[in-house]
C-alpha cells in the first residue's frame, strides 16, 4: 500500500474559479523539486484559479540520472546535496524537453511552509538550500548566455513565505504581475484557492493514513513509518525503498500525512500534556528546542508519534548525502524512536544512484526484525497508553483503504 | 484493564539554572571570535562582575575531537567549535575532576539564527557533552537580536543594556582596530612591531571596558544608552590607541594586491587553524588583507527589519520604520566616531541598501542563512568601488547557505569575467589544496596590482627614487596612521603614489 501523494495524484487539479482574463493558452512549467513536493496542490490551485488551463501546468518528471545527463549536465555551479543538484536536470527538461514549449518557468523560492506545527514551534522555515536553490540553479542557465530568453521562456522565481499566508498575495503579485498581467485582487483570490486546494489534499491524505492505522489497529498488524523530507517521495531521490518493504506486506505511512485528529492526539499525548511536559500534541520543545525548520520539526514530531503509536513498530529514516539539515537530527530522532523499543533504520547518504544491492540486504533485515518484534512492541506500547483507543472506535475502514492495506 | 506501563521517552538537554549567587564562583566560557574581540568582551563581563574566560584559540586538534563526538556531516565551524569546547573541558577535567568542572563553568554561545545549522549548534554541543559524560554541564544560548532579555537561565546571567551595549561596543572597537592591524602589518618596516602595538592596544582597551564607570551603567535604559552613544570615554581611549600606532613606520611603496575576505560568518572572522590561518598566509604571500568586520553582520541584522517593514507598506509602518532607521543611524554614528578616533583609517561600513541592490539580480535579499545576499553584494561592492583586487570567499565544507551563494556567483562572474574571485572550501584538514587554489588567483591579483602601480607612476611621472626622497623630507607620510585617500585604485601603493603626486604639486 502506498500513500497516493504527488506522484500518483499529479493529474488531479483543483477546480478553477472563473478566470478574469484569458490565460488558458499560457503554459507554465514547474520543476518538481524540493518543497514543491509538499506544496504542489497550492501551485495547481493558484494557477488554475488564474485561468491557466490544468493541462498547461507542466511539472517536470521524477528525478533520474538520465534526466540530469540529458538536460542538466554542465549546468551545475556547485557541488551540494542531490535534491538541489538534480534541479538543473528538471530546469533543462522543462526548457528543452517539452513537445509543446512552455511560456513560463515558475520556480518559487519557498521561504517558509504551511505546517500543522505552526504556532507550536519557533518557525516553519525551509532549509536554506531549499529557499535559495533556484538562485543557484538559474545561474547555470544564465552564466554564459540567457538560455531562458533564447528559448522564449520567462523565468519567474517568486520569493514566497507560504507559512505566512497574509504575505503571499503581495509576494506573488509582485513577482507575476507583468508576466501574467495580474491585478492584486485576483491574485489574492487565487492564493486563497491555492491554500484551499492544498488543505483539501492534505486532509484527504491524512484521512487515508488514519484509515490505514485503523486497519492496523483492528487487525493487530504493524506498519512502517517513513521519516524523510517531502522530496524523498521522488523515486529518483528516495529510491522507493519504502516500496520494497511494502512488497513484503507492510503498510507504509509517510510522516507528512499522519493523522492529526484531536481524539488520536489526545490518546497519544494527553497524559504528557496533563503532566505539564508539553503544552500540546504538537509541542516538540521537549525533544527539539531549536524548532526553526519546518521539515525538520515535522520529522522530530513524527518520531515522537512513532515512539508512541503502537502499530508503528518500525521507522525508516531517509536522508540525502551531505544534508546539513538532517545532520544534527540523526541522534535525537533515533533516540526518540528507540526510547519505546520501536525499530529504527536509517538510509543515509542517498545520492543519484540507487544502491540496489545494499537496499535489498537491509530490507531483508528490516523485514526480519519487524516480523519478529512487532507483536510484542504493539503490546508494550499499548500498555503505556490509556485504554480507549480512538482508532478502534472508528467506523470500519472504507473498502478503498482496506484494499490499499491489503 | 491493563495498567499503564510508563515508557521513558527521550527528552532534549535542559541545563540546570545558573543562579545569581553562583556569579562569584562560576566562570562563563565563550568563544568563536578573534582573540581581540574576545579579550574586550571579557573586559565587559568582568566590568559587570562576572567571571569570564574565552576558550583557547582553535587548533587542528579541535577538529579531530569534534569529529569524534558529533554525527558525521557537520559543517566545519560546528565541528571546530564543538571540539574546542570539548577539548577545554577535557583538559580541565583532568585537573579538577568532572564534578568540579560542572560546578565551575558554564558555556555561553550565540544562537537562534534560524534556518541553517547556526541555530542548531547547541545540539552538537550537547551531543559532545553527552560523549564526555558531562550531561549536566550548563550551556546557554544568547539570542543575538535582543538587547534586553532580562535575567535568564536562573538569574546568573542578566542580559540587559549594560551588557549588550558593552558587548557591541567591544566588538566595534575590536573591529576598527583589526582594520588598522591588517592595513599596517604588511607594510611595517620593523617586523613584528604591528603585533606588539596591537597587543598593547588590546590590553589597554581591555582595561577601558573593564573600568566602564558603574554610575553610567545604572539608572534608566535611555540614560545608559545615551551615555554609550555620546560619551567620549571610548573615543578618547581609541585616540590614545592611535598615538601608539603613530610610532609604527610603514613602507607603502611595496606593491601588494588587496584581498578582501568574505564568507561564512565564523570562518571569515576566525584567525587560526580553523581557516588554515589564511589571513596570515595571504600576508606572507605578499598580499594586504581586508578583514571582514563583525560590524557589517550587525548592520545586516539591524537593516533587515527595516526592509521587511518597508515591504509591508511604508505608509502603515511609518513610525516603526522611522524608529528602526534612527537606531541604524545611531549605530553608524557610533561606528564612524570610532573610525574617526583612529584617524578615519578603518574602512567605512558598506551601505546595506547598496549591497542589496547589487546582489538583487543574483540572490534575493530575503534569503536567510549564513551571510545571505551579502556574499554576492560584498564581492560586487569591492569590485565596483575598486576596493580590492580579489575576493577570497571562505566557505565551510558542507555549509548550506554558502554553497548556494557560491553557485549564484557563477552568474555574477558570467557578467563580470574580470572579477577575481576565489571561493575556498575549508574542510579543516585539506590545507594544501585550498591554499594552492587561492595562490593561483592571487598570482593574477599581484599582476594587476603591479600593473596599476606602473600605470600610476607613468601617469604622475614620478619615480620610486623621487618618492623616497620626498619621504625623507616628510617622514609623517610613513606613519602607519597617515591616511591615504582612495583615488579609485584598489592597491595601497598606487593610491599612495597618486596622493604624494598631488602633495608634491
Ligand atoms: S534539507 Fe538537506 S537535502 Fe534538503 S536541500 Fe537542505 S541540505 Fe539539501
Ligand atoms: S552558515 Fe554554513 S557553516 Fe555556518 S553554521 Fe550555517 S551551515 Fe554551518
Amino acid at each position: 500500500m502506498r500513500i497516493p501523494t504527488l506522484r500518483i495524484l499529479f493529474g488531479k487539479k483543483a477546480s478553477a474559479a472563473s478566470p478574469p482574463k484569458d490565460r488558458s493558452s499560457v503554459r507554465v512549467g514547474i520543476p518538481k523539486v524540493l518543497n514543491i513536493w509538499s506544496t504542489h496542490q497550492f501551485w495547481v490551485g493558484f494557477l488554475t484559479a488564474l485561468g491557466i488551463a490544468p493541462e498547461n501546468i507542466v511539472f517536470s518528471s521524477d528525478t533520474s540520472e538520465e534526466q540530469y545527463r540529458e538536460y542538466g549536465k554542465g549546468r551545475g555551479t556547485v557541488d551540494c546535496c542531490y535534491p538541489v543538484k538534480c534541479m538543473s536536470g528538471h530546469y533543462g527538461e522543462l526548457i528543452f524537453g517539452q513537445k509543446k514549449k512552455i511560456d513560463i518557468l515558475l520556480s518559487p523560492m519557498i521561504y517558509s511552509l504551511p505546517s500543522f506545527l505552526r504556532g507550536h514551534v519557533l518557525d516553519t522555515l525551509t532549509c536554506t538550500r531549499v529557499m535559495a536553490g533556484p538562485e543557484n540553479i538559474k545561474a547555470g542557465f544564465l552564466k554564459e548566455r540567457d538560455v531562458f530568453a533564447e528559448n522564449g521562456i520567462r523565468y519567474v522565481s517568486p520569493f514566497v513565505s507560504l507559512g505566512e499566508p497574509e504575505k503571499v498575495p503581495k509576494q506573488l503579485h509582485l513577482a507575476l504581475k507583468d508576466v501574467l498581467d495580474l491585478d492584486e485582487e485576483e491574485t489574492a483570490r487565487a492564493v486563497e484557492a491555492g491554500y484551499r486546494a492544498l488543505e483539501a489534499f492534505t486532509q484527504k491524505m491524512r484521512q487515508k493514513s488514519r484509515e490505514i492505522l485503523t486497519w492496523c489497529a483492528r487487525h493487530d498488524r504493524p506498519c512502517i513509518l517513513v521519516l524523510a523530507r517531502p522530496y524523498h517521495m521522488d523515486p529518483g531521490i528516495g529510491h522507493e525503498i519504502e516500496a520494497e518493504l511494502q512488497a513484503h506486506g507492510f503498510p507504509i505511512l509517510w510522516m507528512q500525512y499522519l493523522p492529526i485528529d484531536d481524539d488520536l492526539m489526545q490518546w497519544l499525548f494527553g497524559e504528557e500534556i496533563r503532566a505539564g511536559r508539553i503544552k500540546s500534541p504538537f509541542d516538540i520543545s521537549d525533544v527539539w528546542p531549536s524548532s526553526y525548520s519546518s521539515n525538520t520539526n515535522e520529522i522530530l514530531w513524527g518520531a515522537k508519534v512513532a515512539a508512541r503509536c503502537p502499530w508503528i513498530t518500525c521507522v525508516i529514516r531517509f536522508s540525502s548525502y551531505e544534508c546539513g539539515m538532517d545532520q544534527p537530527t540523526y541522534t535525537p530522532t533515533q533516540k526518540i524512536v528507540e526510547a519505546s523499543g520501536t525499530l529504527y533504520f536509517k538510509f543515509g547518504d542517498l545520492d543519484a544512484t540507487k544502491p540496489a544491492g545494499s537496499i535489498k540486504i537491509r530490507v531483508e533485515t528490516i523485514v526480519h526484525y519487524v516480523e519478529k518484534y512487532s507483536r510484542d512492541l504493539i503490546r508494550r506500547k499499548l500498555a503505556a497508553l490509556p485504554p480507549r483507543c480512538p482508532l478502534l472506535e472508528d467506523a470500519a475502514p472504507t473498502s478503498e483503504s482496506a484494499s490499499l492495506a491489503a | 484493564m491493563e495498567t499503564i506501563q510508563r515508557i521513558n521517552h527521550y527528552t532534549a538537554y535542559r541545563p540546570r539554572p545558573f543562579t545569581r549567587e553562583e556569579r562569584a564562583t562560576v566562570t562563563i566560557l565563550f568563544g568563536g571570535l578573534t582573540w581581540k574581540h574576545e579579550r574586550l568582551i571579557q573586559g565587559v563581563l568582568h566590568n559587570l562582575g562576572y567571571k569570564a574566560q574565552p576558550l583557547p584559540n582553535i587548533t587542528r586538534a579541535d577538529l579531530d575531537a569534534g569529529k569524534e563526538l558529533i554525527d558525521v556531516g557537520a559543517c566545519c565551524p560546528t565541528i571546530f567549535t564543538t571540539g574546542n569546547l570539548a577539548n577545554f573541558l577535557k583538559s580541565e577535567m583532568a585537573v579538577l575532576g568532572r564534578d568540579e568542572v560542572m560546578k565551575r563553568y558554564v558555556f555561553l554561545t550565540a544562537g537562534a539564527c534560524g534556518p541553517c545549522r547556526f541555530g542548531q549548534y547547541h545540539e552538537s554541543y550537547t551531543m559532545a557533552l553527552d560523549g564526555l559524560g558531562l550531561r549536566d554541564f550548563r550551556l546557554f544560548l544568547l539570542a543575538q537580536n535582543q538587547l534586553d532579555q532580562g535575567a535568564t537561565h536562573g538569574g546568573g546571567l542578566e542580559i540587559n543594556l549594560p551588557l549588550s551595549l558593552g558587548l557591541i561596543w567591544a566588538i566595534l572597537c575590536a573591529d576598527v582596530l583589526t582594520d588598522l592591524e591588517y592595513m599596517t602589518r604588511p607594510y611595517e618596516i620593523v617586523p613584528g612591531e604591528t603585533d606588539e602595538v596591537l597587543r598593547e592596544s588590546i590590553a589597554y582597551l581591555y582595561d577601558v571596558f573593564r573600568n566602564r564607570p558603574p554610575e553610567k551603567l545604572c539608572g534608566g535604559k535611555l540614560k545608559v544608552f545615551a551615555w554609550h552613544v555620546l560619551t567620549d570615554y571610548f573615543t578618547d581611549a581609541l585616540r590614545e590607541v592611535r598615538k601608539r600606532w603613530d610610532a609604527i613606520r610603514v613602507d607603502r611603496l611595496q606593491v601588494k594586491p588587496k584581498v578582501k575576505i568574505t564568507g561564512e560568518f565564523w570562518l571569515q572572522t576566525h584567525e587560526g587553524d580553523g581557516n588554515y590561518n589564511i589571513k596570515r598566509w595571504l600576508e606572507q604571500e605578499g598580499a594586504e588583507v581586508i578583514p571582514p568586520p563583525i560590524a557589517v553582520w550587525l548592520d545586516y541584522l539591524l537593516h533587515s527589519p527595516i526592509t521587511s517593514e518597508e515591504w509591508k507598506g511604508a505608509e502603515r509602518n511609518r513610525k516603526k520604520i522611522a524608529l528602526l532607521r534612527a537606531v541604524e543611524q545611531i549605530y553608524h554614528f557610533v561606528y564612524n566616531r570610532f573610525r574617526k578616533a583612529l584617524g578615519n583609517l578603518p574602512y567605512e561600513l558598506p551601505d546595506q541598501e547598496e549591497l542589496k541592490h547589487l546582489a538583487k539580480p543574483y540572490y534575493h535579499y530575503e534569503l536567510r542563512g549564513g551571510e545571505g545576499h551579502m556574499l554576492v553584494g560584498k564581492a560586487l561592492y569591492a569590485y565596483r568601488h575598486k576596493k580590492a583586487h580579489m575576493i577570497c570567499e571562505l566557505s565551510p565544507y558542507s555549509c548550506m547557505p554558502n554553497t548556494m551563494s557560491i553557485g549564484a556567483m557563477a552568474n555574477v562572474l558570467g557578467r563580470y569575467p574580470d572579477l577575481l574571485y576565489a571561493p575556498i572550501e575549508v574542510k579543516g584538514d585539506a590545507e594544501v589544496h585550498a591554499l594552492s587554489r587561492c595562490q593561483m588567483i592571487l598570482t593574477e591579483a599581484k599582476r594587476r596590482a603591479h600593473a596599476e602601480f606602473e600605470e600610476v607612476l607613468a601617469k604622475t611621472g614620478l619615480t620610486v627614487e623621487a618618492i623616497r626622497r620626498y619621504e625623507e623630507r616628510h617622514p609623517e607620510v610613513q606613519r602607519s596612521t597617515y591616511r591615504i585617500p582612495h583615488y579609485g585604485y584598489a592597491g595601497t601603493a598606487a593610491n599612495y603614489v597618486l596622493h604624494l603626486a598631488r602633495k608634491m604639486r
Side-chain angles (χ1 to χ4, degrees):
Chain A
M1 169 192 39
R2 164 182 292 279
I3 299 281
T5 49
L6 179 61
R7 212 153 63 82
I8 296 157
L9 294 184
F10 233 70
K12 297 198 178 178
K13 315 294 184 198
S15 63
S18 54
K21 286 166 195 145
D22 184 16
R23 304 185 180 103
S24 55
S25 60
V26 178
R27 271 175 84 73
V28 181
I30 303 179
K32 196 172 67 184
V33 294
L34 302 174
N35 275 109
I36 291 294
W37 280 86
S38 55
T39 61
H40 50 93
Q41 287 297 313
F42 171 85
W43 299 104
V44 172
F46 170 71
L47 291 170
T48 47
L50 290 175
I52 311 272
E55 62 276 17
N56 281 341
I57 303 170
V58 187
F59 287 89
S60 51
S61 333
D62 292 340
T63 303
S64 67
E65 290 187 85
E66 300 73 59
Q67 181 194 50
Y68 187 76
R69 257 198 309 275
E70 192 169 347
Y71 301 115
K73 218 165 178 191
R75 303 215 174 263
T77 51
V78 81
D79 201 24
C80 70
C81 58
Y82 189 56
V84 172
K85 201 156 79 181
C86 74
M87 285 170 72
S88 305
H90 287 263
Y91 272 46
E93 185 195 293
L94 289 170
I95 298 169
F96 309 115
Q98 303 299 312
K99 276 200 195 111
K100 219 170 143 191
K101 282 265 173 200
I102 57 164
D103 304 298
I104 296 168
L105 197 156
L106 176 65
S107 184
M109 293 185 266
I110 303 176
Y111 175 72
S112 63
L113 290 164
S115 169
F116 60 98
L117 296 181
R118 202 166 176 89
H120 305 272
V121 289
L122 293 172
D123 214 332
T124 59
L125 302 172
T126 58
C127 161
T128 47
R129 280 184 183 158
V130 166
M131 60 176 91
E135 296 289 51
N136 181 319
I137 300 301
K138 84 172 184 200
F141 293 83
L142 291 170
K143 60 182 178 186
E144 280 141 14
R145 37 184 222 281
D146 188 340
V147 175
F148 304 110
E150 275 179 8
N151 286 275
I153 293 170
R154 295 284 295 265
Y155 176 77
V156 188
S157 182
F159 177 91
V160 58
S161 318
L162 288 178
E164 295 167 88
E166 68 284 1
K167 286 189 176 170
V168 178
K170 186 169 173 186
Q171 289 172 329
L172 290 181
H173 177 248
L174 284 174
L176 290 163
K177 63 178 184 205
D178 293 339
V179 253
L180 285 174
D181 183 23
L182 288 186
D183 64 47
E184 281 176 37
E185 238 173 67
E186 63 178 333
T187 314
R189 274 199 307 271
V191 166
E192 269 174 36
Y195 276 110
R196 272 199 308 275
L198 178 61
E199 180 56 24
F201 175 82
T202 310
Q203 287 284 7
K204 196 162 139 194
M205 292 298 102
R206 293 200 192 288
Q207 183 53 32
K208 293 243 172 284
S209 301
R210 179 163 180 139
E211 286 170 13
I212 290 160
L213 271 176
T214 303
W215 184 88
C216 291
R218 283 174 189 274
H219 296 86
D220 208 20
R221 291 276 299 275
C223 63
I224 294 174
L225 177 73
V226 182
L227 287 186
R229 296 189 180 261
Y231 32 97
H232 288 111
M233 291 176 198
D234 181 339
I237 307 272
H239 300 305
E240 299 185 287
I241 298 167
E242 78 286 6
E244 314 235 353
L245 285 159
Q246 191 188 345
H248 284 84
F250 298 114
I252 304 289
L253 296 171
W254 281 80
M255 168 278 294
Q256 282 75 7
Y257 298 113
L258 279 174
I260 53 169
D261 311 299
D262 195 48
D263 57 349
L264 192 57
M265 292 296 102
Q266 288 303 326
W267 185 58
L268 294 174
F269 294 106
E271 212 193 309
E272 291 166 70
I273 297 170
R274 285 186 290 280
R277 221 180 121 188
I278 44 174
K279 291 199 189 84
S280 81
F282 309 113
D283 178 0
I284 56 167
S285 61
D286 54 333
V287 295
W288 190 248
S290 39
S291 55
Y292 295 99
S293 159
S294 190
N295 291 157
T296 303
N297 295 342
E298 291 179 7
I299 286 173
L300 270 296
W301 177 81
K304 283 181 70 178
V305 173
R308 287 156 181 82
C309 183
W311 299 281
I312 301 175
T313 61
C314 176
V315 164
I316 49 170
R317 173 89 200 261
F318 298 162
S319 186
S320 291
Y321 172 66
E322 231 238 31
C323 174
M325 291 312 282
D326 279 348
Q327 184 271 333
T329 70
Y330 293 149
T331 299
T333 312
Q334 182 170 359
K335 285 187 174 171
I336 295 167
V337 173
E338 289 183 343
S340 62
T342 305
L343 301 166
Y344 178 90
F345 298 91
K346 181 179 140 214
F347 292 83
D349 290 347
L350 296 175
D351 214 337
T353 314
K354 178 172 182 167
S358 75
I359 290 176
K360 191 164 175 284
I361 297 168
R362 295 203 63 204
V363 163
E364 279 165 18
T365 313
I366 295 170
V367 169
H368 168 78
Y369 279 98
V370 176
E371 277 171 353
K372 188 167 174 195
Y373 292 110
S374 286
R375 190 169 289 272
D376 274 358
L377 267 170
I378 293 173
R379 202 148 299 136
R380 193 156 9 117
K381 285 165 84 176
L382 264 176
L385 287 165
R388 285 174 66 124
C389 167
L391 293 173
L392 291 168
E393 288 167 12
D394 277 2
T398 61
S399 58
E400 195 193 335
S401 72
S403 68
L404 274 171
Chain B
M1 190 182 80
E2 274 187 80
T3 50
I4 292 186
Q5 295 171 4
R6 295 213 175 276
I7 289 175
N8 218 355
H9 283 294
Y10 168 85
T11 46
Y13 164 86
R14 263 193 214 297
R16 70 197 153 80
F18 165 36
T19 62
R20 208 185 165 89
E21 296 69 53
E22 286 181 291
R23 266 192 206 171
T25 52
V26 171
T27 301
I28 299 172
L29 298 171
F30 62 97
L33 304 174
T34 74
W35 68 273
K36 294 156 278 184
H37 294 85
E38 288 166 0
R39 181 71 175 146
L40 302 194
I41 286 173
Q42 191 181 24
V44 173
L45 290 164
H46 284 169
N47 169 251
L48 294 170
Y50 296 102
K51 288 182 82 171
Q53 179 183 329
L55 287 171
N57 205 7
I58 298 271
T59 64
R60 260 299 302 276
D62 296 331
L63 184 77
D64 301 333
K67 276 187 185 164
E68 254 173 51
L69 287 163
I70 59 176
D71 282 329
V72 286
C75 51
C76 82
T78 314
I79 307 177
F80 267 116
T81 51
T82 309
N84 188 227
L85 174 67
N87 275 340
F88 175 78
L89 294 178
K90 266 199 277 188
S91 66
E92 288 299 285
M93 270 201 294
V95 182
L96 302 169
R98 187 176 157 276
D99 291 347
E100 202 53 30
V101 167
M102 285 199 286
K103 234 191 281 165
R104 273 202 207 175
Y105 294 109
V106 298
F107 180 60
L108 183 66
T109 183
C113 120
C116 87
R117 268 174 293 210
F118 188 40
Q120 302 166 0
Y121 265 18
H122 64 289
E123 296 293 340
S124 302
Y125 292 138
T126 54
M127 199 165 172
L129 294 178
D130 268 347
L132 294 173
L134 285 172
R135 179 82 178 172
D136 283 340
F137 180 82
R138 287 167 289 177
L139 172 82
F140 299 110
L141 289 186
L142 182 69
Q144 52 178 349
N145 51 359
Q146 281 168 278
L147 295 184
D148 196 2
Q149 300 168 40
T152 54
H153 318 305
L157 181 71
E158 207 173 328
I159 301 167
N160 51 19
L161 275 195
L163 176 65
S164 298
L165 294 180
L167 295 180
I168 296 171
W169 264 234
I171 287 171
L172 301 187
C173 282
D175 273 352
V176 287
L177 209 53
T178 301
D179 271 1
L180 204 53
E181 168 198 354
Y182 279 90
M183 62 179 58
T184 306
R185 190 168 44 225
Y187 302 99
E188 67 189 4
I189 290 170
V190 180
E193 200 179 1
T194 309
D195 285 344
E196 204 182 308
V197 175
L198 178 68
R199 267 193 300 275
E200 284 169 18
S201 307
I202 291 293
Y204 169 73
L205 285 176
Y206 163 82
D207 285 335
V208 169
F209 279 96
R210 169 86 182 73
N211 298 322
R212 271 188 307 168
E215 69 277 9
K216 304 292 181 194
L217 305 180
C218 51
K221 286 181 193 172
L222 202 62
K223 187 186 140 207
V224 176
F225 185 71
W227 180 76
H228 276 87
V229 173
L230 300 171
T231 180
D232 291 335
Y233 182 77
F234 302 102
T235 41
D236 284 347
L238 287 171
R239 266 182 223 108
E240 175 57 36
V241 165
R242 188 187 154 183
K243 280 188 207 143
R244 298 171 194 227
W245 287 72
D246 279 343
I248 305 178
R249 286 183 62 244
V250 291
D251 173 12
R252 292 195 181 91
L253 281 180
Q254 301 174 67
V255 181
K256 290 174 184 280
K258 257 192 183 172
V259 180
K260 180 165 176 60
I261 304 284
T262 65
E264 190 270 343
F265 176 80
W266 181 85
L267 207 58
Q268 62 168 353
T269 308
H270 179 69
E271 295 174 342
D273 286 1
N275 60 13
Y276 309 133
N277 264 305
I278 198 158
K279 296 175 199 165
R280 285 280 175 161
W281 177 84
L282 280 164
E283 284 186 0
Q284 282 154 16
E285 291 299 311
E288 177 188 343
V289 167
I290 305 179
I294 297 171
V296 178
W297 170 252
L298 297 178
D299 199 17
Y300 170 68
L301 292 182
L302 282 176
H303 194 75
S304 300
I306 299 178
T307 316
S308 308
E309 290 304 322
E310 282 177 343
W311 184 87
K312 284 185 205 157
E315 277 307 302
R316 255 194 311 145
N317 297 302
R318 201 175 294 151
K319 266 194 195 146
K320 197 166 177 189
I321 294 170
L323 183 69
L324 289 167
R325 280 211 179 282
V327 173
E328 191 187 39
Q329 274 163 12
I330 292 170
Y331 176 76
H332 281 251
F333 168 75
V334 171
Y335 195 69
N336 286 334
R337 278 189 85 198
F338 290 178
R339 287 178 56 232
K340 196 169 168 210
L342 290 181
N344 275 327
L345 288 157
Y347 301 98
E348 71 276 24
L349 292 175
D351 177 16
Q352 285 290 328
E353 275 299 311
E354 188 176 352
L355 294 184
K356 187 173 107 184
H357 179 74
L358 288 171
K360 200 173 169 200
Y362 313 97
Y363 208 82
H364 197 277
Y365 64 91
E366 281 182 282
L367 292 168
R368 293 276 176 274
E371 294 250 312
H373 68 276
M374 282 203 298
L375 291 179
V376 175
K378 282 182 196 174
L380 279 170
Y381 182 89
Y383 171 77
R384 299 275 284 263
H385 293 286
K386 294 210 166 54
K387 298 277 184 193
H389 296 98
M390 158 183 165
I391 310 295
C392 175
E393 179 174 334
L394 302 177
S395 176
Y397 169 70
S398 112
C399 168
M400 294 176 289
N402 246 75
T403 40
M404 294 301 98
S405 46
I406 289 181
M409 276 302 288
N411 196 0
V412 176
L413 297 177
R415 287 211 208 162
Y416 302 98
D418 60 334
L419 192 161
L420 281 186
Y421 171 65
I424 306 298
E425 187 181 71
V426 179
K427 278 186 170 170
D429 54 4
E431 186 166 350
V432 176
H433 176 74
L435 297 183
S436 62
R437 211 181 128 72
C438 193
Q439 180 76 272
M440 283 190 303
I441 297 168
L442 186 63
T443 307
E444 172 57 18
K446 280 182 185 166
R447 196 197 58 72
R448 290 189 190 182
H450 279 280
E452 69 176 19
F453 182 69
E454 295 302 330
E455 182 189 313
V456 171
L457 282 182
K459 198 156 112 183
T460 56
L462 282 174
T463 61
V464 171
E465 293 69 35
I467 295 169
R468 290 283 183 228
R469 285 196 295 276
Y470 183 85
E471 283 174 337
E472 269 167 36
R473 290 197 307 277
H474 301 273
E476 74 278 3
V477 297
Q478 280 198 307
R479 258 192 234 140
S480 75
T481 49
Y482 184 86
R483 184 167 179 272
I484 312 297
H486 185 250
Y487 293 104
Y489 285 93
T492 297
N495 285 315
Y496 181 59
V497 173
L498 262 178
H499 178 63
L500 293 194
R502 286 182 192 208
K503 275 183 78 89
M504 287 176 192
R505 251 191 259 142

